[in-house]
Each structure stands twice: as C-alpha cells, then as structure tokens.
Amino acid sequence: MSNTFFRIEMLPAKQGDSLWIEYGKNGIERRILIDSGPLSAYNVLEEKLNKLPDGDKRVELVVISHVDTDHIEGIIRLLAQKRNRWPFEPEDIWFNGWRHLETSTDLGGREGDFLSALIRCRAFNEWNKAFNKGSIMVQSDEPLPEKMLNDGMKLTLLAPDEEKLKSMAAKWRKDVAAHGLEPGDLDDAWEQLVETTKYHLDDGLLGSSDDFSKEIAKQLKTDESVANGTSIAFLAEYEGKSCLFLADAHADLICKSLKRLIPGGQDRLMVDAVKISHHGSRHNISEDLMKLIDAKHYLISSNGAYHKHPDKAAIEAIIHWSKRKPILWFNYQTKYTSAWSEVPTNGDKKFASNYPTSGKGGIVIEL
C-alpha cells in the first residue's frame, strides 16, 4: 500500500473557490490553500485552519488566484488578524498586486490593494518569494515556470501572462479611483480597510455526433472578464498524481500553455484531475481546451446562487469531449448542480458524478 497521498478538498465556498490541498508521505502532511471564498463563507475556512494541530500549522503555499470577491474576501478577513493570531503559518503567498501589473512596477481594485496592504504589514512584505517577489506570470519566449515545494510537489505555472496582467491595470486604476485611492497606495488602502467594517474581527481589525458538437460549441462563449484573465493557474504534480488548478482563467491562455506541456507524439496532456475554470461557466471552456486534456476527474466549485453555475453547456462539453469516462465532482448539491446526479442509461457518452454527503457542502477527492 502506498504511503503517499494527494487529496483535494473543495470547501463549501458558496459561489466561490476555496481549495484545501494535502499531500505528503511517511506520515508527514504538507498543505496548500488556493483562494478563500467570499466573506460569507469565511467561517468554513476559519474552522478548517483552527483544526490544525498545535506545533504543525505550516501551510507550504497560499495562492490568491485573482481579485474577484468570491475568491479573495475570506483571505482579507483572515489576514486582518494580527500576525501572532493567525491560525496558520504560510511559507509563501502567491498574489499579483498592483506593482506586478505594469512591470512586466498591489490586483481589481480596492480589494486588491486591501490585500496588498495586509501582506505588506502582516506578512512583512514576504510574498511571491518563489518568483523573487516579482510578477507571477508565464512568458512566451521562456519555459513555463516550475516551482518545487517541500517533499516534491511540483507546480508548473500556466497563467497569467504579461498581456493579461497589463490589461488589468486600467480596470484596477478605475476601480480604486472610484474609492478615492491611487493604485498601489497601500497606506491609504490600509486606512480604508480599517474603516471597512465587514472585514473587522470581533475585537477590531487587526466569484457523439458532429451536430451535437457544433451545438455545444455554439453555446460556449469567450470570457472577457479582465480580472479572470489574471488568474494564477497551474499544474500540480506529486508522486505520479496530477491536477490542473485553473481558478477562473481564460481558456485561450490555458490552451497555449498546455500545448507546451504535451509530450511529443501525443495530442493531449494526461492528468488525473481538473479543477474547472470559473465554477463551470460556459465562458471558460472550449472544444480546443477539452481536446488538449486527458483527465478522469473534473471538479466544479459552486452552489450556483449568484450566477447559476455550472452552466449546462460547460458540463456537456466535459462529458462530450472527454477522452475518458469523466467523473464529475461537485462541492454542493443544489438545483443548479443536481442535473447530473442521475446518469442516463442511453447515449454514447457515460459519466459518473459525486456530491457531498452533508447538506452543508464540501467534498474531498483522493487522487
């Protein structure tokens, strides 16, 4: 029996993402946190972190993929506590802030600067250490960045690229201006953060047939959200197991990066699992993307409350264009996700589905 493990927990983050990864061997557990969900789901993340054993609260990496509130609000609340009260000890934090947008010189405007101010003050400006505190991005003329975590977890960056980061700069500037801020002015951002009561703690501060293929493709649209385009997405590989964590990334850039990873003589990248981009939105999946992936498990994080995700067209794309019989994993069973709870007995393409056993949501996938 193998003594290694790689498990992914999709916490019940309502309409957002909050992913808890555990990996390790020989009884040693390593951890990664990707995003934190909206503020309304913060208590779930807090409870998870509070269960870390005394003397073992280290988290190898915290990834804040981009600045949409359904990914970032919980971590703002978490880091608002004084550093000595944090329920965890992050070794590194990955986040592209304002200063990373235009160098390519803290991201989505005011919440991005809020988080940047917190990292500067609470984490002593120690972020993006794996990238020498610079921008987290891929470059077309260089190999995809590869970073190794303790005990051999390998992360290969897929997105964003310099173009996506630069596109975010104008939106960022406009958003902070609406709140009377200058982008990257972390002192003023800190003052506003202190006054924003929703982030306060109790004792104060501190998002077949060819005809059938054509019909699915017609329903799939291109995501034009600038913030989603800046999502930090990567391939995680550990002891022969692998998962694509796609945040809310745009399909076009993921396709470009995947093509660079597919071994010669093959037409798809074989992985065990894919965390589907943007909660199963039809805007973030394409026929081209699906035909570059050979995966068994597909993970969808959403209760559908705000944007009615996942979209039927996106799930049909997974089922139709998957090379293998796909296994769908949902962290909620709601009226928006239950359509795939019963597998049809007819049809050429079969699939399996998994839902939480608890009405509270959340599900664990063992790779």
Side-chain angles (χ1 to χ4, degrees), residues 197-229:
T197 57
K198 70 177 181 178
Y199 295 121
H200 288 197
L201 306 181
D202 292 339
D203 56 350
L205 179 73
L206 2 169
S208 107
S209 68
D210 290 340
D211 289 341
F212 186 57
S213 295
K214 291 176 182 177
E215 183 59 32
I216 295 175
K218 277 199 308 184
Q219 297 180 60
L220 303 178
K221 305 295 182 181
T222 300
D223 184 1
E224 297 181 354
S225 164
V226 177
N228 287 346

Side-chain angles (χ1 to χ4, degrees), residues 73-141:
E73 280 193 332
I75 202 72
I76 294 176
R77 175 67 178 268
L78 178 65
L79 301 189
Q81 303 177 82
K82 292 182 179 179
R83 178 65 181 263
N84 62 7
R85 294 188 59 191
W86 285 5
F88 72 141
E89 299 171 1
E91 177 63 19
D92 198 4
I93 300 171
W94 288 7
F95 172 65
N96 280 322
W98 171 259
R99 72 183 189 217
H100 304 107
L101 295 185
E102 293 192 318
T103 55
S104 330
T105 359
D106 283 332
L107 244 200
R110 187 170 67 151
E111 280 72 21
D113 274 351
F114 281 178
L115 183 55
S116 301
L118 281 168
I119 296 174
R120 183 185 68 174
C121 295
R122 297 293 197 232
F124 314 116
N125 211 32
E126 293 294 315
W127 44 323
N128 294 3
K129 290 191 291 185
F131 294 83
N132 296 317
K133 300 187 180 181
S135 304
I136 299 176
M137 65 179 184
V138 300
Q139 295 181 316
S140 59
D141 57 347

Side-chain angles (χ1 to χ4, degrees), residues 6 21 23 31-34 60-63 92-94 130-131 136 138 143-159 232-239 241-245 261:
F6 184 173
I21 302 163
Y23 71 94
R31 311 170 184 108
I32 301 170
L33 172 64
I34 304 174
E60 300 300 320
L61 177 63
V62 175
V63 179
D92 198 4
I93 300 171
W94 288 7
F131 294 83
I136 299 176
V138 300
L144 295 175
E146 296 178 356
K147 306 298 175 181
M148 296 294 295
L149 303 184
N150 276 322
D151 286 344
M153 172 66 80
K154 178 183 173 182
L155 306 182
T156 303
L157 192 69
L158 305 175
I232 296 173
F234 56 88
L235 167 65
E237 299 173 277
Y238 183 70
E239 294 290 328
K241 301 293 185 180
S242 57
C243 181
L244 291 167
F245 292 97
L261 291 177

